[in-house]
Amino acid sequence: MNAATPPDRLVGDGIATHVPEATALLGSDRSLLYEAVEEGVVGFGPSHLLVVSTGAETAPGWASRVENVFTVDTEAYVRIEDGDTTLDFVAMGFDLSAKLELLGEHAETSLLVVDDLSTLVERTDVQVVYRFLHVLVAQARRMGLRGVYALDAGLLDARTCTTLCWLFDSVMRVERDSEGGLQTIAIESHGL
Amino acid sequence: MVVDDEHDVADIYTLWLERAGWEVRKAYSVPEARDLFDATVDVVLLDRNMPEVTGDEFLRELRAENADCRVAMVTAVDPDFDIVEMGFDEYVTKPVAREDLVATADELHSRSSYSRAMREFYAAVSKLSALESELPPEALEANETYRALREEANRLRAVADESVLTVGFSDGFQDLARLSKEAGEQ
């Protein structure tokens, strides 16, 4: 992926050729999802990248090739009160808002990657995650910023996946083909 | 709903809000407010210090009942650490100007509308997901009820997408904090 490639220069060869504003990527493990983004499933090489990470790594390895990378580590906002784990959405919202503002002028060539939703669902109530994503997707749309939202289907049940997928403009399943290459398949919300 | 034991204050708030297009219920005490309150109330503007029953107590009652409304404390009491655990949505210190009071009510109404829209959208999608995880696509497509539910979910999504624009990013996250706390308690 080359930095700052304009969004109309799409990657072919079995990879998606149209990129809606908010895309859910559904794969059986995180490495497959990382690879899909790296291979160009998003359709262009971003000049700026905002990674909302919910895992130990705050940005995937390939992000080092993007010139401007910003991260929001949701783990930093985990609070444990009376034995219950919650996320401090207000503090995280401030952080996200500030980082999104940094992308503002470059929205057309920027990319938002949320990696991944499955870990968020494990951290808090699915309805809360739903609201969080709806607000985030709306803000990204308002800015004209493309977003890729990774869903590790190995960690979530089919019902939760289907429910979450309603939030996005499109859903793509990422699979390994018989020759070891990546295959992306656009799917309807049912039949996940 | 306006709740304030100072009659002049409650009267003027009511007048301001009605002139701004609001339908207002007015109560001069918490017992009166209890009688007037029902599920159709979207926003409560609530004084803290009132004789007999305080506004803080009424707020606790509303939250304990999971009342689906937004509450602004409108009070002469300067905020202190005791507000940290209180379940209000806004804190407005008296004296308050007309435009600020109306803006507070409008903002809380937007958040309330968005919250309702999202809850309905989520409920419809949850039903669809339950059906889709159990039945094959061809059986679903042949079913009129299922198709109607999908249409309804699409309609509700459009409503939610539109109402989130009036709420804005930071207020959207403010509401999440409360939703998250309620989910934890449940």
Short mmCIF file of all heavy atoms in Angstrom, two decimals, chain A residues 84 86-87 89-90 93 96-97 100 124-128 130-132 134-136 138-139 141-142 159 162-163 166-168 188-190, chain B residues 114-115 118-119 121-122 125 128-130 132-133 137 141 146 150 153-154 157 160-161 164-165 168-169 172-173 175-177 179-180 183-184:
data_model
loop_
_atom_site.label_atom_id
_atom_site.label_comp_id
_atom_site.label_asym_id
_atom_site.label_seq_id
_atom_site.Cartn_x
_atom_site.Cartn_y
_atom_site.Cartn_z
N ASP A 84 -16.99 -4.78 38.32
CA ASP A 84 -17.52 -4.72 36.94
C ASP A 84 -16.56 -3.95 36.04
O ASP A 84 -16.02 -2.93 36.44
CB ASP A 84 -18.89 -4.03 36.91
CG ASP A 84 -19.95 -4.85 37.61
OD1 ASP A 84 -19.89 -6.09 37.51
OD2 ASP A 84 -20.83 -4.25 38.26
N THR A 86 -16.03 -1.59 32.88
CA THR A 86 -16.75 -0.68 31.98
C THR A 86 -15.71 0.12 31.19
O THR A 86 -14.53 0.10 31.50
CB THR A 86 -17.64 0.32 32.75
OG1 THR A 86 -16.80 1.07 33.63
CG2 THR A 86 -18.73 -0.36 33.51
N LEU A 87 -16.19 0.79 30.16
CA LEU A 87 -15.31 1.69 29.39
C LEU A 87 -15.71 3.12 29.68
O LEU A 87 -16.90 3.43 29.76
CB LEU A 87 -15.46 1.42 27.89
CG LEU A 87 -14.74 0.18 27.34
CD1 LEU A 87 -15.20 -0.09 25.92
CD2 LEU A 87 -13.23 0.36 27.36
N PHE A 89 -16.45 6.06 28.31
CA PHE A 89 -16.75 6.57 26.97
C PHE A 89 -16.56 8.07 26.85
O PHE A 89 -16.28 8.57 25.76
CB PHE A 89 -18.19 6.19 26.58
CG PHE A 89 -18.31 4.76 26.17
CD1 PHE A 89 -18.81 3.81 27.04
CD2 PHE A 89 -17.90 4.36 24.92
CE1 PHE A 89 -18.92 2.49 26.67
CE2 PHE A 89 -18.00 3.03 24.53
CZ PHE A 89 -18.51 2.09 25.41
N VAL A 90 -16.74 8.79 27.96
CA VAL A 90 -16.58 10.24 27.89
C VAL A 90 -15.12 10.59 27.59
O VAL A 90 -14.82 11.35 26.67
CB VAL A 90 -17.07 10.91 29.19
CG1 VAL A 90 -16.84 12.41 29.13
CG2 VAL A 90 -18.55 10.63 29.41
N GLY A 93 -14.19 9.45 24.19
CA GLY A 93 -14.80 10.33 23.20
C GLY A 93 -13.97 11.59 22.97
O GLY A 93 -13.80 12.03 21.83
N LEU A 96 -10.92 10.46 20.93
CA LEU A 96 -11.32 10.19 19.55
C LEU A 96 -11.63 11.48 18.80
O LEU A 96 -11.22 11.66 17.64
CB LEU A 96 -12.58 9.33 19.55
CG LEU A 96 -12.41 7.84 19.32
CD1 LEU A 96 -13.74 7.14 19.55
CD2 LEU A 96 -11.91 7.56 17.92
N SER A 97 -12.33 12.37 19.47
CA SER A 97 -12.72 13.63 18.84
C SER A 97 -11.48 14.43 18.43
O SER A 97 -11.41 14.96 17.32
CB SER A 97 -13.57 14.41 19.85
OG SER A 97 -13.99 15.60 19.28
N LEU A 100 -9.75 12.64 15.49
CA LEU A 100 -10.53 12.80 14.24
C LEU A 100 -10.35 14.20 13.67
O LEU A 100 -10.28 14.39 12.46
CB LEU A 100 -12.02 12.52 14.49
CG LEU A 100 -12.41 11.05 14.60
CD1 LEU A 100 -13.82 10.92 15.14
CD2 LEU A 100 -12.31 10.34 13.25
N THR A 124 -17.77 -4.78 27.04
CA THR A 124 -18.96 -4.08 27.53
C THR A 124 -20.22 -4.61 26.83
O THR A 124 -20.12 -5.44 25.93
CB THR A 124 -18.80 -2.55 27.36
OG1 THR A 124 -19.89 -1.88 27.98
CG2 THR A 124 -18.73 -2.14 25.90
N ASP A 125 -21.35 -4.14 27.26
CA ASP A 125 -22.63 -4.61 26.74
C ASP A 125 -22.75 -4.34 25.24
O ASP A 125 -22.37 -3.27 24.75
CB ASP A 125 -23.72 -3.85 27.50
CG ASP A 125 -25.11 -4.26 27.07
OD1 ASP A 125 -25.56 -5.32 27.50
OD2 ASP A 125 -25.71 -3.51 26.28
N VAL A 126 -23.30 -5.29 24.50
CA VAL A 126 -23.35 -5.16 23.04
C VAL A 126 -24.19 -3.97 22.60
O VAL A 126 -23.88 -3.30 21.59
CB VAL A 126 -23.82 -6.48 22.37
CG1 VAL A 126 -25.26 -6.79 22.71
CG2 VAL A 126 -23.65 -6.43 20.87
N GLN A 127 -25.22 -3.64 23.36
CA GLN A 127 -26.05 -2.49 23.00
C GLN A 127 -25.27 -1.18 23.16
O GLN A 127 -25.47 -0.22 22.41
CB GLN A 127 -27.32 -2.45 23.85
CG GLN A 127 -28.39 -1.59 23.24
CD GLN A 127 -29.74 -1.73 23.89
OE1 GLN A 127 -29.98 -2.68 24.64
NE2 GLN A 127 -30.63 -0.81 23.63
N VAL A 128 -24.37 -1.17 24.14
CA VAL A 128 -23.52 0.02 24.33
C VAL A 128 -22.52 0.13 23.18
O VAL A 128 -22.30 1.22 22.63
CB VAL A 128 -22.78 -0.05 25.69
CG1 VAL A 128 -21.90 1.17 25.88
CG2 VAL A 128 -23.78 -0.17 26.84
N TYR A 130 -23.01 -0.95 20.27
CA TYR A 130 -23.83 -0.56 19.12
C TYR A 130 -23.97 0.96 19.03
O TYR A 130 -23.80 1.56 17.97
CB TYR A 130 -25.22 -1.20 19.28
CG TYR A 130 -25.90 -1.50 17.97
CD1 TYR A 130 -25.41 -2.50 17.15
CD2 TYR A 130 -27.01 -0.80 17.56
CE1 TYR A 130 -26.02 -2.79 15.94
CE2 TYR A 130 -27.63 -1.09 16.36
CZ TYR A 130 -27.13 -2.09 15.56
OH TYR A 130 -27.73 -2.38 14.37
N ARG A 131 -24.28 1.55 20.18
CA ARG A 131 -24.43 3.01 20.22
C ARG A 131 -23.10 3.70 19.93
O ARG A 131 -23.05 4.70 19.21
CB ARG A 131 -24.96 3.45 21.58
CG ARG A 131 -26.43 3.20 21.76
CD ARG A 131 -27.27 4.31 21.12
NE ARG A 131 -27.10 5.56 21.85
CZ ARG A 131 -27.84 5.92 22.89
NH1 ARG A 131 -28.81 5.13 23.32
NH2 ARG A 131 -27.64 7.06 23.50
N PHE A 132 -22.03 3.17 20.52
CA PHE A 132 -20.69 3.73 20.31
C PHE A 132 -20.35 3.75 18.82
O PHE A 132 -19.92 4.76 18.26
CB PHE A 132 -19.66 2.89 21.08
CG PHE A 132 -18.22 3.12 20.66
CD1 PHE A 132 -17.55 4.27 21.03
CD2 PHE A 132 -17.56 2.17 19.90
CE1 PHE A 132 -16.23 4.48 20.63
CE2 PHE A 132 -16.24 2.36 19.50
CZ PHE A 132 -15.58 3.52 19.88
N HIS A 134 -22.43 3.51 16.27
CA HIS A 134 -23.34 4.35 15.50
C HIS A 134 -22.88 5.81 15.53
O HIS A 134 -22.86 6.49 14.50
CB HIS A 134 -24.77 4.22 16.03
CG HIS A 134 -25.78 4.88 15.13
ND1 HIS A 134 -26.36 6.08 15.43
CD2 HIS A 134 -26.26 4.52 13.93
CE1 HIS A 134 -27.19 6.43 14.46
NE2 HIS A 134 -27.15 5.50 13.53
N VAL A 135 -22.48 6.27 16.71
CA VAL A 135 -21.99 7.65 16.84
C VAL A 135 -20.69 7.82 16.04
O VAL A 135 -20.52 8.80 15.31
CB VAL A 135 -21.76 8.00 18.34
CG1 VAL A 135 -21.10 9.36 18.48
CG2 VAL A 135 -23.07 7.99 19.10
N LEU A 136 -19.81 6.84 16.15
CA LEU A 136 -18.51 6.94 15.45
C LEU A 136 -18.68 6.89 13.93
O LEU A 136 -18.10 7.70 13.20
CB LEU A 136 -17.60 5.79 15.92
CG LEU A 136 -16.19 5.75 15.34
CD1 LEU A 136 -15.43 7.05 15.66
CD2 LEU A 136 -15.41 4.55 15.88
N ALA A 138 -21.33 7.66 12.25
CA ALA A 138 -22.00 8.91 11.82
C ALA A 138 -21.00 10.05 11.72
O ALA A 138 -21.04 10.84 10.77
CB ALA A 138 -23.11 9.26 12.81
N GLN A 139 -20.10 10.14 12.70
CA GLN A 139 -19.11 11.22 12.68
C GLN A 139 -18.16 11.05 11.50
O GLN A 139 -17.82 12.02 10.83
CB GLN A 139 -18.34 11.23 14.01
CG GLN A 139 -17.27 12.30 14.11
CD GLN A 139 -17.84 13.72 14.13
OE1 GLN A 139 -19.06 13.90 14.20
NE2 GLN A 139 -16.98 14.71 14.03
N ARG A 141 -18.81 9.53 8.69
CA ARG A 141 -19.57 9.86 7.47
C ARG A 141 -19.66 11.36 7.29
O ARG A 141 -19.49 11.88 6.19
CB ARG A 141 -20.99 9.30 7.58
CG ARG A 141 -21.11 7.86 7.19
CD ARG A 141 -22.58 7.52 6.93
NE ARG A 141 -22.72 6.08 6.77
CZ ARG A 141 -23.45 5.32 7.57
NH1 ARG A 141 -24.10 5.85 8.59
NH2 ARG A 141 -23.53 4.03 7.36
N ARG A 142 -19.94 12.04 8.40
CA ARG A 142 -20.09 13.49 8.35
C ARG A 142 -18.80 14.15 7.85
O ARG A 142 -18.81 15.14 7.14
CB ARG A 142 -20.44 14.01 9.75
CG ARG A 142 -20.68 15.49 9.80
CD ARG A 142 -21.48 15.95 11.00
NE ARG A 142 -21.33 15.16 12.19
CZ ARG A 142 -22.12 15.28 13.25
NH1 ARG A 142 -23.09 16.14 13.23
NH2 ARG A 142 -21.93 14.57 14.32
N ARG A 159 -25.33 -14.20 15.73
CA ARG A 159 -26.37 -13.19 15.98
C ARG A 159 -25.76 -11.83 16.24
O ARG A 159 -26.22 -10.81 15.74
CB ARG A 159 -27.23 -13.60 17.18
CG ARG A 159 -28.39 -14.47 16.76
CD ARG A 159 -29.18 -14.92 17.94
NE ARG A 159 -29.97 -13.85 18.55
CZ ARG A 159 -30.88 -14.04 19.47
NH1 ARG A 159 -31.13 -15.26 19.90
NH2 ARG A 159 -31.56 -13.05 19.96
N THR A 162 -24.37 -10.39 13.01
CA THR A 162 -25.45 -9.90 12.14
C THR A 162 -25.97 -8.56 12.66
O THR A 162 -26.20 -7.63 11.89
CB THR A 162 -26.62 -10.91 12.10
OG1 THR A 162 -26.09 -12.19 11.79
CG2 THR A 162 -27.64 -10.53 11.05
N THR A 163 -26.16 -8.49 13.95
CA THR A 163 -26.67 -7.25 14.56
C THR A 163 -25.72 -6.09 14.28
O THR A 163 -26.14 -5.01 13.84
CB THR A 163 -26.83 -7.45 16.09
OG1 THR A 163 -27.71 -8.55 16.31
CG2 THR A 163 -27.40 -6.22 16.76
N TRP A 166 -25.48 -4.36 10.68
CA TRP A 166 -26.50 -3.41 10.24
C TRP A 166 -26.02 -1.96 10.30
O TRP A 166 -26.64 -1.07 9.75
CB TRP A 166 -27.77 -3.55 11.09
CG TRP A 166 -28.74 -4.52 10.50
CD1 TRP A 166 -28.72 -5.87 10.62
CD2 TRP A 166 -29.87 -4.21 9.69
NE1 TRP A 166 -29.75 -6.43 9.94
CE2 TRP A 166 -30.49 -5.42 9.35
CE3 TRP A 166 -30.42 -3.02 9.21
CZ2 TRP A 166 -31.62 -5.48 8.56
CZ3 TRP A 166 -31.55 -3.09 8.43
CH2 TRP A 166 -32.14 -4.30 8.11
N LEU A 167 -24.95 -1.73 11.00
CA LEU A 167 -24.46 -0.36 11.16
C LEU A 167 -23.66 0.15 9.97
O LEU A 167 -23.36 1.34 9.88
CB LEU A 167 -23.58 -0.27 12.41
CG LEU A 167 -24.28 -0.45 13.75
CD1 LEU A 167 -23.26 -0.70 14.85
CD2 LEU A 167 -25.11 0.77 14.08
N PHE A 168 -23.29 -0.76 9.07
CA PHE A 168 -22.32 -0.39 8.05
C PHE A 168 -22.94 -0.32 6.66
O PHE A 168 -23.99 -0.91 6.39
CB PHE A 168 -21.14 -1.37 8.08
CG PHE A 168 -20.57 -1.49 9.46
CD1 PHE A 168 -20.79 -2.61 10.24
CD2 PHE A 168 -19.83 -0.45 10.00
CE1 PHE A 168 -20.30 -2.70 11.53
CE2 PHE A 168 -19.33 -0.53 11.29
CZ PHE A 168 -19.57 -1.66 12.05
N GLU A 188 -24.72 -10.14 2.14
CA GLU A 188 -25.90 -9.55 2.75
C GLU A 188 -25.79 -9.76 4.25
O GLU A 188 -24.98 -10.56 4.72
CB GLU A 188 -27.16 -10.27 2.24
CG GLU A 188 -27.50 -9.95 0.82
CD GLU A 188 -28.13 -8.59 0.66
OE1 GLU A 188 -28.86 -8.18 1.58
OE2 GLU A 188 -27.85 -7.92 -0.34
N SER A 189 -26.60 -9.06 5.02
CA SER A 189 -26.48 -9.20 6.47
C SER A 189 -26.92 -10.59 6.95
O SER A 189 -26.40 -11.10 7.91
CB SER A 189 -27.28 -8.13 7.19
OG SER A 189 -28.64 -8.32 6.98
N HIS A 190 -27.90 -11.20 6.25
CA HIS A 190 -28.28 -12.53 6.73
C HIS A 190 -27.38 -13.59 6.11
O HIS A 190 -26.70 -13.36 5.12
CB HIS A 190 -29.76 -12.83 6.48
CG HIS A 190 -30.18 -12.78 5.04
ND1 HIS A 190 -29.74 -13.69 4.13
CD2 HIS A 190 -30.99 -11.93 4.40
CE1 HIS A 190 -30.30 -13.41 2.96
NE2 HIS A 190 -31.05 -12.35 3.10
N TYR B 114 -32.79 10.67 20.08
CA TYR B 114 -31.78 9.78 19.51
C TYR B 114 -31.75 8.45 20.26
O TYR B 114 -31.69 7.37 19.67
CB TYR B 114 -30.40 10.44 19.54
CG TYR B 114 -29.29 9.52 19.11
CD1 TYR B 114 -29.33 8.88 17.87
CD2 TYR B 114 -28.20 9.26 19.93
CE1 TYR B 114 -28.32 8.02 17.48
CE2 TYR B 114 -27.19 8.40 19.54
CZ TYR B 114 -27.25 7.79 18.31
OH TYR B 114 -26.27 6.93 17.92
N SER B 115 -31.82 8.57 21.57
CA SER B 115 -31.78 7.37 22.40
C SER B 115 -32.95 6.43 22.08
O SER B 115 -32.78 5.22 21.94
CB SER B 115 -31.84 7.81 23.86
OG SER B 115 -31.39 6.81 24.69
N MET B 118 -32.48 4.85 18.61
CA MET B 118 -31.49 3.77 18.62
C MET B 118 -32.02 2.52 19.30
O MET B 118 -31.73 1.40 18.90
CB MET B 118 -30.20 4.23 19.31
CG MET B 118 -29.26 5.00 18.42
SD MET B 118 -28.82 4.12 16.89
CE MET B 118 -27.69 2.88 17.49
N ARG B 119 -32.80 2.74 20.36
CA ARG B 119 -33.34 1.58 21.07
C ARG B 119 -34.31 0.80 20.17
O ARG B 119 -34.28 -0.42 20.11
CB ARG B 119 -34.01 2.02 22.36
CG ARG B 119 -34.15 0.91 23.37
CD ARG B 119 -34.62 1.34 24.73
NE ARG B 119 -35.77 2.22 24.66
CZ ARG B 119 -35.72 3.53 24.96
NH1 ARG B 119 -34.60 4.08 25.35
NH2 ARG B 119 -36.80 4.27 24.88
N PHE B 121 -34.35 0.88 16.84
CA PHE B 121 -33.56 0.30 15.74
C PHE B 121 -32.87 -0.99 16.22
O PHE B 121 -32.92 -2.03 15.56
CB PHE B 121 -32.54 1.35 15.27
CG PHE B 121 -31.53 0.86 14.27
CD1 PHE B 121 -31.91 0.09 13.18
CD2 PHE B 121 -30.18 1.19 14.40
CE1 PHE B 121 -30.97 -0.36 12.24
CE2 PHE B 121 -29.24 0.75 13.48
CZ PHE B 121 -29.64 -0.03 12.41
N TYR B 122 -32.26 -0.90 17.40
CA TYR B 122 -31.55 -2.06 17.94
C TYR B 122 -32.53 -3.22 18.18
O TYR B 122 -32.21 -4.38 17.90
CB TYR B 122 -30.84 -1.68 19.24
CG TYR B 122 -30.02 -2.80 19.83
CD1 TYR B 122 -28.74 -3.06 19.36
CD2 TYR B 122 -30.53 -3.61 20.83
CE1 TYR B 122 -27.99 -4.10 19.87
CE2 TYR B 122 -29.79 -4.66 21.34
CZ TYR B 122 -28.52 -4.89 20.86
OH TYR B 122 -27.79 -5.93 21.37
N VAL B 125 -33.37 -4.84 14.85
CA VAL B 125 -32.23 -5.59 14.32
C VAL B 125 -31.98 -6.86 15.13
O VAL B 125 -31.62 -7.90 14.59
CB VAL B 125 -30.98 -4.68 14.29
CG1 VAL B 125 -29.73 -5.47 14.02
CG2 VAL B 125 -31.14 -3.60 13.24
N LEU B 128 -34.37 -9.40 13.87
CA LEU B 128 -33.92 -9.91 12.56
C LEU B 128 -32.76 -10.88 12.72
O LEU B 128 -32.72 -11.94 12.09
CB LEU B 128 -33.47 -8.74 11.68
CG LEU B 128 -34.56 -7.89 11.06
CD1 LEU B 128 -33.98 -6.63 10.43
CD2 LEU B 128 -35.32 -8.69 9.99
N SER B 129 -31.81 -10.51 13.58
CA SER B 129 -30.63 -11.36 13.79
C SER B 129 -31.01 -12.71 14.35
O SER B 129 -30.44 -13.74 13.98
CB SER B 129 -29.64 -10.68 14.74
OG SER B 129 -29.31 -9.41 14.25
N ALA B 130 -32.00 -12.68 15.27
CA ALA B 130 -32.45 -13.95 15.86
C ALA B 130 -33.05 -14.84 14.77
O ALA B 130 -32.76 -16.04 14.69
CB ALA B 130 -33.48 -13.67 16.95
N GLU B 132 -32.50 -14.62 11.48
CA GLU B 132 -31.49 -14.94 10.46
C GLU B 132 -30.50 -16.01 10.94
O GLU B 132 -29.91 -16.71 10.12
CB GLU B 132 -30.75 -13.67 10.04
CG GLU B 132 -31.63 -12.75 9.21
CD GLU B 132 -31.06 -11.35 9.03
OE1 GLU B 132 -29.96 -11.08 9.53
OE2 GLU B 132 -31.73 -10.53 8.37
N SER B 133 -30.32 -16.09 12.24
CA SER B 133 -29.39 -17.10 12.74
C SER B 133 -30.02 -18.49 12.80
O SER B 133 -29.34 -19.50 12.95
CB SER B 133 -28.84 -16.71 14.12
OG SER B 133 -29.90 -16.68 15.04
N PRO B 137 -31.94 -18.39 4.34
CA PRO B 137 -32.31 -17.15 3.63
C PRO B 137 -33.57 -17.30 2.78
O PRO B 137 -34.41 -16.39 2.76
CB PRO B 137 -31.09 -16.87 2.74
CG PRO B 137 -29.97 -17.53 3.42
CD PRO B 137 -30.53 -18.73 4.12
N GLU B 141 -36.85 -14.90 3.05
CA GLU B 141 -37.30 -14.04 1.96
C GLU B 141 -38.76 -14.32 1.58
O GLU B 141 -39.45 -13.44 1.08
CB GLU B 141 -36.40 -14.19 0.73
CG GLU B 141 -35.00 -13.65 0.94
CD GLU B 141 -34.96 -12.16 1.30
OE1 GLU B 141 -35.94 -11.44 1.02
OE2 GLU B 141 -33.95 -11.74 1.90
N TYR B 146 -41.16 -11.17 7.93
CA TYR B 146 -39.72 -10.91 7.93
C TYR B 146 -39.38 -9.73 7.02
O TYR B 146 -38.62 -8.83 7.41
CB TYR B 146 -38.96 -12.17 7.48
CG TYR B 146 -37.50 -11.91 7.22
CD1 TYR B 146 -36.60 -11.82 8.28
CD2 TYR B 146 -37.02 -11.74 5.93
CE1 TYR B 146 -35.26 -11.54 8.04
CE2 TYR B 146 -35.69 -11.48 5.68
CZ TYR B 146 -34.82 -11.39 6.74
OH TYR B 146 -33.49 -11.12 6.50
N ARG B 150 -37.66 -6.14 8.04
CA ARG B 150 -36.46 -5.57 7.41
C ARG B 150 -36.71 -4.14 6.95
O ARG B 150 -35.88 -3.26 7.13
CB ARG B 150 -36.03 -6.41 6.20
CG ARG B 150 -35.11 -7.56 6.54
CD ARG B 150 -34.53 -8.18 5.28
NE ARG B 150 -33.38 -7.42 4.80
CZ ARG B 150 -32.12 -7.70 5.11
NH1 ARG B 150 -31.83 -8.70 5.90
NH2 ARG B 150 -31.14 -6.97 4.62
N ALA B 153 -36.70 -2.00 9.97
CA ALA B 153 -35.34 -1.77 10.47
C ALA B 153 -34.63 -0.72 9.62
O ALA B 153 -33.92 0.14 10.16
CB ALA B 153 -34.55 -3.08 10.48
N ASN B 154 -34.84 -0.77 8.32
CA ASN B 154 -34.23 0.23 7.44
C ASN B 154 -34.77 1.63 7.73
O ASN B 154 -34.04 2.61 7.74
CB ASN B 154 -34.47 -0.13 5.97
CG ASN B 154 -33.43 -1.11 5.47
OD1 ASN B 154 -32.24 -0.95 5.72
ND2 ASN B 154 -33.88 -2.14 4.77
N ARG B 157 -33.34 2.79 11.00
CA ARG B 157 -31.93 3.17 10.83
C ARG B 157 -31.85 4.60 10.27
O ARG B 157 -31.03 5.41 10.72
CB ARG B 157 -31.19 2.21 9.90
CG ARG B 157 -29.75 2.67 9.64
CD ARG B 157 -28.89 1.64 9.01
NE ARG B 157 -29.45 1.13 7.77
CZ ARG B 157 -28.93 0.13 7.08
NH1 ARG B 157 -27.86 -0.49 7.54
NH2 ARG B 157 -29.46 -0.28 5.97
N ALA B 160 -32.58 6.97 13.05
CA ALA B 160 -31.44 7.06 13.98
C ALA B 160 -30.29 7.83 13.34
O ALA B 160 -29.65 8.66 14.00
CB ALA B 160 -30.99 5.65 14.37
N ASP B 161 -30.03 7.59 12.05
CA ASP B 161 -28.94 8.28 11.36
C ASP B 161 -29.19 9.79 11.32
O ASP B 161 -28.26 10.59 11.43
CB ASP B 161 -28.78 7.76 9.93
CG ASP B 161 -28.13 6.38 9.89
OD1 ASP B 161 -27.66 5.93 10.96
OD2 ASP B 161 -28.09 5.77 8.82
N VAL B 164 -28.92 11.29 15.06
CA VAL B 164 -27.57 11.38 15.64
C VAL B 164 -26.89 12.67 15.19
O VAL B 164 -26.04 13.22 15.90
CB VAL B 164 -26.70 10.14 15.28
CG1 VAL B 164 -26.27 10.14 13.84
CG2 VAL B 164 -25.48 10.07 16.20
N LEU B 165 -27.29 13.19 14.06
CA LEU B 165 -26.68 14.42 13.56
C LEU B 165 -27.03 15.62 14.44
O LEU B 165 -26.25 16.55 14.58
CB LEU B 165 -27.12 14.70 12.12
CG LEU B 165 -26.69 13.63 11.10
CD1 LEU B 165 -27.26 13.96 9.73
CD2 LEU B 165 -25.17 13.53 11.03
N GLY B 168 -24.76 15.15 17.91
CA GLY B 168 -23.33 15.47 17.85
C GLY B 168 -22.48 14.42 18.51
O GLY B 168 -22.97 13.54 19.22
N PHE B 169 -21.20 14.54 18.26
CA PHE B 169 -20.24 13.50 18.65
C PHE B 169 -20.06 13.42 20.17
O PHE B 169 -20.22 12.37 20.78
CB PHE B 169 -18.91 13.80 17.96
CG PHE B 169 -17.95 12.67 17.95
CD1 PHE B 169 -18.32 11.43 17.47
CD2 PHE B 169 -16.66 12.85 18.40
CE1 PHE B 169 -17.41 10.39 17.45
CE2 PHE B 169 -15.75 11.82 18.37
CZ PHE B 169 -16.12 10.59 17.90
N GLY B 172 -23.12 12.40 22.11
CA GLY B 172 -23.37 10.98 21.87
C GLY B 172 -22.58 10.12 22.83
O GLY B 172 -23.09 9.13 23.37
N PHE B 173 -21.36 10.53 23.10
CA PHE B 173 -20.53 9.77 24.04
C PHE B 173 -20.94 10.00 25.49
O PHE B 173 -20.82 9.11 26.32
CB PHE B 173 -19.05 10.10 23.84
CG PHE B 173 -18.45 9.35 22.69
CD1 PHE B 173 -18.15 9.97 21.51
CD2 PHE B 173 -18.22 7.99 22.80
CE1 PHE B 173 -17.63 9.27 20.44
CE2 PHE B 173 -17.70 7.27 21.74
CZ PHE B 173 -17.40 7.91 20.55
N ASP B 175 -23.95 10.31 26.53
CA ASP B 175 -25.06 9.39 26.77
C ASP B 175 -24.59 7.95 26.95
O ASP B 175 -25.17 7.19 27.70
CB ASP B 175 -26.05 9.47 25.62
CG ASP B 175 -27.18 10.44 25.93
OD1 ASP B 175 -27.06 11.17 26.92
OD2 ASP B 175 -28.16 10.45 25.19
N LEU B 176 -23.52 7.61 26.23
CA LEU B 176 -22.99 6.25 26.33
C LEU B 176 -22.51 5.94 27.74
O LEU B 176 -22.62 4.81 28.20
CB LEU B 176 -21.80 6.08 25.38
CG LEU B 176 -22.14 5.71 23.96
CD1 LEU B 176 -20.91 5.74 23.11
CD2 LEU B 176 -22.75 4.32 23.94
N ALA B 177 -21.97 6.96 28.40
CA ALA B 177 -21.47 6.75 29.76
C ALA B 177 -22.60 6.25 30.65
O ALA B 177 -22.43 5.32 31.44
CB ALA B 177 -20.88 8.05 30.30
N LEU B 179 -25.52 4.90 29.64
CA LEU B 179 -26.01 3.62 29.14
C LEU B 179 -25.12 2.47 29.62
O LEU B 179 -25.58 1.41 30.02
CB LEU B 179 -26.03 3.67 27.60
CG LEU B 179 -26.79 2.57 26.88
CD1 LEU B 179 -28.28 2.68 27.15
CD2 LEU B 179 -26.54 2.64 25.38
N SER B 180 -23.82 2.73 29.58
CA SER B 180 -22.85 1.72 30.01
C SER B 180 -23.02 1.40 31.49
O SER B 180 -22.98 0.25 31.90
CB SER B 180 -21.44 2.25 29.73
OG SER B 180 -20.48 1.35 30.17
N ALA B 183 -26.14 -0.62 31.99
CA ALA B 183 -25.92 -2.02 31.54
C ALA B 183 -25.14 -2.79 32.58
O ALA B 183 -25.44 -3.95 32.87
CB ALA B 183 -25.19 -2.02 30.21
N GLY B 184 -24.15 -2.13 33.19
CA GLY B 184 -23.34 -2.77 34.23
C GLY B 184 -24.17 -3.13 35.43
O GLY B 184 -24.02 -4.19 36.03
#
